[in-house]
Amino acid sequence: MKQALFYEELEKSEVQCHLCPWNCRISEGDRGVCGVRENREGTLYSLSYDNLTSGTPDPIEKKPLFNFAPGTKAYSISTPGCNWKCKFCQNWQLSQGPLNGQSIAPQDIVKAAIESGSQGISYTYTEPTIFYELAYDTAKLAHEEGLYNTFVTNGYINRDPIKKIAPYLDAVTVDFKGSGDEDFLEEFAGVPSVDPVFEAIKEYKAQGLHVEITDLIVPEVGGSEGSTKELIDWIVDNPGKETPVHFLRFYPAHKVRDLPPTDVSKLEKAKRMAETAGLEYVYLGNVRRKNQLNCPECETTIVSRSFAGSGRLNLDGNRCPNCGKEINISGLEWVKDK
Ligand code: SF4
């Protein structure tokens, strides 16, 4: 347990948390929407600080990050809790589970990451925003040890927390669900508005971080052609056409088991729409694809991928060795044998 960041004390021992757009007012003895920030006698505490539920090295491609440090391993950590309540959550045992994790100090997390042969740490599986204090302390130490840090997030976070942690982050994957359709998100995730996610992406980008975006297309209910097109157009106009985008296949999970997996042809159609709109790096996820990183100009393969990971890089500095186009790829300092 650690005293929380980003809250204010109100009258009668009430507090207001300003970590995420819920901005919960929390009475003494109560917790916020995320279930892991508790008001004890007028002080807000993060209960997730000493509740680590996973620590394992993953290929960075699994986050997914396809244009960042390809072929490296990210030591992946999580704690219980989430500020969204997705009925289709793939990690619901973790995100909605009890606070039964281990107490592991940030320096020991960093040590475990190094010993596992990882080049960085990912804050993932559940929502890193709600274990912000643990992520912040760990990320600072990880940078001192030369590791990278990446968030895999729903993007539901306020601006000031982004600004505070940005110097210690290197890349962010922001996960949309159902192409950000607000009716879908309200019904299936309990989220009142998706606007804060758009604002968070702009802020992460303004802070100079590498940003990739995923969109979980849920058949019948989340990810109509219209909403997918709207999301694509927003990405082109805001973080820009060089932003890598991944369309993800839905599989039945948690409380949504009566829908089939997404038809792959629907994902392929979304990919074509995105490429037609000008997006330069479009991938499919949760399907058996190699997802090479090709030059958007001449289609020369820049990063060849097997199903298990990445092969060698084919780059001239950060340009295509064939046509000279600048490639949006970062984190190369952590890639060996480039
Ligand atoms: S982090 Fe948790 S307590 Fe804070 S505003 Fe968000 S949901 Fe509420």
Side-chain angles (χ1 to χ4, degrees):
M1 190 170 79
K2 181 160 185 172
Q3 187 170 349
L5 296 165
F6 302 106
Y7 78 96
E8 63 176 316
E9 294 172 12
L10 306 175
E11 291 178 353
K12 298 178 184 166
S13 293
E14 199 182 21
V15 300
Q16 185 161 22
C17 178
H18 294 294
L19 178 55
C20 90
W22 284 110
N23 292 306
C24 299
R25 288 178 74 116
I26 308 170
S27 301
E28 190 177 348
D30 286 348
R31 297 180 186 175
V33 168
C34 56
V36 293
R37 302 172 81 76
E38 186 171 293
N39 177 351
R40 295 191 181 179
E41 298 178 349
T43 301
L44 188 65
Y45 289 96
S46 163
L47 306 181
S48 44
Y49 195 85
D50 37 17
N51 260 288
L52 203 72
T53 45
S54 44
T56 186
D58 275 343
I60 191 70
E61 287 79 8
K62 197 175 163 188
K63 301 302 112 194
L65 283 169
F66 277 16
N67 290 40
F68 175 84
T72 62
K73 280 194 283 182
Y75 192 73
S76 299
I77 68 166
S78 66
T79 74
C82 190
N83 52 0
W84 285 13
K85 305 293 171 207
C86 300
K87 293 178 182 171
F88 46 82
C89 181
Q90 304 283 320
N91 291 326
W92 61 275
Q93 292 99 331
L94 287 175
S95 65
Q96 311 300 327
L99 284 157
N100 59 358
Q102 287 180 286
S103 176
I104 300 181
Q107 54 268 38
D108 292 327
I109 296 172
V110 172
K111 190 164 171 255
I114 294 168
E115 286 173 359
S116 74
S118 299
Q119 289 73 39
I121 298 180
S122 267
Y123 307 82
T124 179
Y125 301 139
T126 58
E127 175 48 51
T129 299
I130 61 85
F131 61 91
Y132 185 95
E133 291 77 7
L134 179 65
Y136 181 81
D137 288 354
T138 305
K140 269 179 95 167
L141 291 173
H143 258 199
E144 285 171 18
E145 295 295 331
L147 300 176
Y148 62 70
N149 294 295
T150 89
F151 262 19
V152 183
T153 174
N154 57 22
Y156 210 62
I157 182 172
N158 285 333
R159 195 174 291 255
D160 284 348
I162 292 178
K163 287 181 178 168
K164 186 175 173 70
I165 201 168
Y168 309 106
L169 287 181
D170 301 283
V172 178
T173 309
V174 179
D175 293 332
F176 278 88
K177 293 99 167 75
S179 302
D181 179 282
E182 289 208 320
D183 291 340
F184 167 74
L185 283 171
E186 188 166 14
E187 184 179 346
F188 284 85
V191 182
S193 169
V194 79
D195 288 349
V197 180
F198 292 120
E199 292 308 310
I201 290 173
K202 288 196 262 184
E203 189 61 46
Y204 279 124
K205 188 84 178 165
Q207 294 293 323
L209 302 183
H210 175 87
V211 175
E212 301 200 14
I213 292 173
T214 74
D215 181 19
L216 180 75
I217 307 273
V218 183
E220 301 175 27
V221 292
S224 65
E225 267 184 53
S227 55
T228 303
K229 182 71 169 70
E230 274 181 36
L231 178 60
I232 289 167
D233 289 343
W234 184 86
I235 295 169
V236 171
D237 292 342
N238 289 275
K241 62 184 173 45
E242 72 282 3
T243 308
V245 175
H246 308 246
F247 293 107
L248 306 184
R249 191 180 196 197
F250 159 88
Y251 284 95
H254 194 27
K255 296 176 182 171
V256 184
R257 298 190 180 269
D258 53 343
L259 294 174
T262 317
D263 199 324
V264 175
S265 66
K266 189 166 183 179
L267 300 176
E268 286 168 338
K269 190 164 189 182
K271 184 174 190 290
R272 283 196 299 277
M273 276 165 48
E275 288 170 342
T276 301
L279 285 177
E280 294 183 330
Y281 308 96
V282 187
Y283 306 106
L284 302 189
N286 300 340
V287 294
R288 198 163 167 76
R289 289 281 191 289
K290 287 188 178 178
N291 280 316
Q292 317 280 37
L293 194 173
N294 292 333
C295 172
E297 198 69 45
C298 68
E299 300 199 356
T300 294
T301 299
I302 304 297
V303 181
S304 58
R305 289 191 171 90
S306 65
F307 295 118
S310 293
R312 286 180 68 85
L313 284 174
N314 181 27
L315 267 175
D316 182 4
N318 65 341
R319 294 186 176 274
C320 170
N322 183 48
C323 71
K325 179 174 171 67
E326 191 172 340
I327 304 296
N328 178 23
I329 187 165
S330 57
L332 296 180
E333 56 269 47
W334 287 285
V335 181
K336 288 183 197 143
D337 305 325
K338 35 180 195 289

